[in-house]
Amino acid sequence: VPVLLFVAAPYIRRYVAGGRCKSTARLDGKVVIITGANTGIGKETARDLAQRGKCSARVIIACRDIAKAEVAASEIQAETGNQQVIVKKLDLADTKSIREFAEKFLAEEKELHILINNAGVMLCPYSKTADGFEMHLGVNHLGHFLLTFLLLERLKQCAPARIVNVSSLAHHGGRIRFHDLQGEKSYNRGLAYCHSKLANVLFTRELARRLQGKSQRQAEFTANALHPGSVYSELVRHSFVMTWLWKIFSFFLKTPCEGAQTSIYCAVAEELDSVSGQYFSDCQPAYVSPRGRDDETAKKLWSVSCELLGIQWD
């Protein structure tokens, strides 16, 4: 058995690694925002996008932990030679921070071509954001919903532009429980994560629908969602059991670089120039759960999200 495992190991790893983004698209002069890019797949996505082109892209790492983000940015700058890897403060668990980030960005930056809503929390004990939202819903869905709303016009002005929402295969286990959206009546942290990832898929679907006909260059302004794969990262840090299992079975998990491939693919692949409202895994279209294709739920979630955030987004 040990011999067989040794022989099979390279093939197992190749299978686990999944698809790779083969696009050589350049991002000369483009401006990119990646949330939560101080670690994991966000950091690897930033590393890849920072080195695409002679006239490097301006990659903005939007994170809550500034110190950790500065270390990541310095590492990427040193490796890629791109000094336009910039750190900005953004706490998705606080709508005041989100608004301040957007206000400063719009005042300082005249362009935005790619927004990658990557940051997320997983398996949190029951807790609430600064605005009283259940943490998974607040950070994974509502935080990115508000951020996208605030930056949408700048993206439209700079088309071709893309919005990339990092969801998960876990959306298959989710449902939008409008009667208990904040989990106050019944809470399971694993299911709460699944619910928030389903919200990502539904948000992407409804956003893409609403973008149709809203821009003179609508075919060049897209929104897609993705599953990065099971990645060995810090995302499971709130669960001792999952952290332990992740370490034991790390050989069967994607590395952050491997997990970043579909995010990169959705951000740069030429064949996706006019593809919107879709869901990808391993750099190819993937199956969406029936709940993730429910247009009525997507519309209602949009309306409820606007109400919770106190915004009007028609």
Side-chain angles (χ1 to χ4, degrees), residues 22-161:
K22 298 178 181 178
S23 171
T24 57
R26 297 160 61 97
L27 295 179
D28 299 275
K30 300 293 187 181
V31 179
V32 182
I33 292 176
I34 309 175
T35 66
N38 60 340
T39 187
I41 66 173
K43 179 180 176 182
E44 295 305 321
T45 301
R47 191 195 310 273
D48 180 281
L49 301 188
Q51 58 190 354
R52 287 179 175 265
K54 292 183 179 179
C55 180
S56 303
R58 186 170 174 83
V59 179
I60 296 172
I61 294 177
C63 296
R64 178 176 55 85
D65 190 332
I66 293 295
K68 198 170 184 178
E70 291 286 5
V71 172
S74 296
E75 179 185 314
I76 294 171
Q77 289 171 356
E79 183 177 319
T80 65
N82 183 354
Q83 300 306 304
Q84 294 297 302
V85 179
I86 311 297
V87 172
K88 302 284 186 182
K89 173 76 172 181
L90 172 64
D91 184 355
L92 288 163
D94 185 348
T95 58
K96 181 181 178 182
S97 174
I98 298 170
R99 291 181 180 278
E100 288 177 350
F101 169 85
E103 184 179 349
K104 290 179 181 178
F105 173 84
L106 294 173
E108 297 170 359
E109 305 286 343
K110 301 308 177 186
E111 295 185 313
L112 176 59
H113 304 93
I114 301 171
L115 170 62
I116 302 179
N117 291 319
N118 164 83
V121 294
M122 181 180 181
L123 302 175
C124 299
Y126 189 79
S127 55
K128 293 186 176 183
T129 68
D131 302 273
F133 305 135
E134 185 279 315
M135 191 62 68
H136 292 90
L137 178 77
V139 171
N140 296 353
H141 170 59
L142 292 173
H144 283 129
F145 187 96
L146 178 60
L147 180 65
T148 304
F149 166 75
L150 295 171
L151 299 177
L152 191 67
E153 288 306 313
R154 184 57 50 86
L155 282 159
K156 285 182 179 179
Q157 294 165 8
C158 299

Side-chain angles (χ1 to χ4, degrees), residues 254-314:
K254 290 186 178 184
T255 65
C257 180
E258 291 164 350
Q261 294 306 305
T262 307
S263 294
I264 297 165
Y265 174 76
C266 288
V268 305
E270 299 88 341
E271 61 266 33
L272 300 186
D273 282 346
S274 59
V275 175
S276 192
Q278 301 303 306
Y279 172 75
F280 296 86
S281 178
D282 282 328
C283 301
Q284 60 185 359
Y287 179 74
V288 178
S289 74
R291 292 192 184 101
R293 289 179 270 122
D294 188 329
D295 290 331
E296 290 307 310
T297 299
K299 292 174 185 176
K300 185 175 180 180
L301 178 63
W302 185 284
S303 177
V304 170
S305 299
C306 287
E307 184 178 336
L308 288 170
L309 291 165
I311 61 176
Q312 287 189 320
W313 191 355
D314 298 321

Side-chain angles (χ1 to χ4, degrees), residues 101-221:
F101 169 85
E103 184 179 349
K104 290 179 181 178
F105 173 84
L106 294 173
E108 297 170 359
E109 305 286 343
K110 301 308 177 186
E111 295 185 313
L112 176 59
H113 304 93
I114 301 171
L115 170 62
I116 302 179
N117 291 319
N118 164 83
V121 294
M122 181 180 181
L123 302 175
C124 299
Y126 189 79
S127 55
K128 293 186 176 183
T129 68
D131 302 273
F133 305 135
E134 185 279 315
M135 191 62 68
H136 292 90
L137 178 77
V139 171
N140 296 353
H141 170 59
L142 292 173
H144 283 129
F145 187 96
L146 178 60
L147 180 65
T148 304
F149 166 75
L150 295 171
L151 299 177
L152 191 67
E153 288 306 313
R154 184 57 50 86
L155 282 159
K156 285 182 179 179
Q157 294 165 8
C158 299
R162 299 186 185 190
I163 297 169
V164 178
N165 294 323
V166 178
S167 180
S168 170
L169 182 69
H171 86 270
H172 285 270
R175 62 173 55 197
I176 305 302
R177 305 163 66 244
F178 290 109
H179 68 285
D180 188 23
L181 206 56
Q182 306 296 343
E184 293 173 323
K185 298 177 182 177
S186 174
Y187 182 76
N188 176 288
R189 56 185 179 175
L191 289 177
Y193 176 72
C194 294
H195 301 334
S196 70
K197 294 291 101 177
L198 174 59
N200 293 153
V201 173
L202 291 169
F203 168 46
T204 304
R205 187 178 183 88
E206 181 64 8
L207 176 59
R209 186 188 71 80
R210 287 170 176 259
L211 290 177
Q212 292 179 357
K214 297 292 185 180
S215 171
Q216 293 181 341
R217 294 189 284 176
Q218 64 189 60
E220 298 179 342
F221 186 34

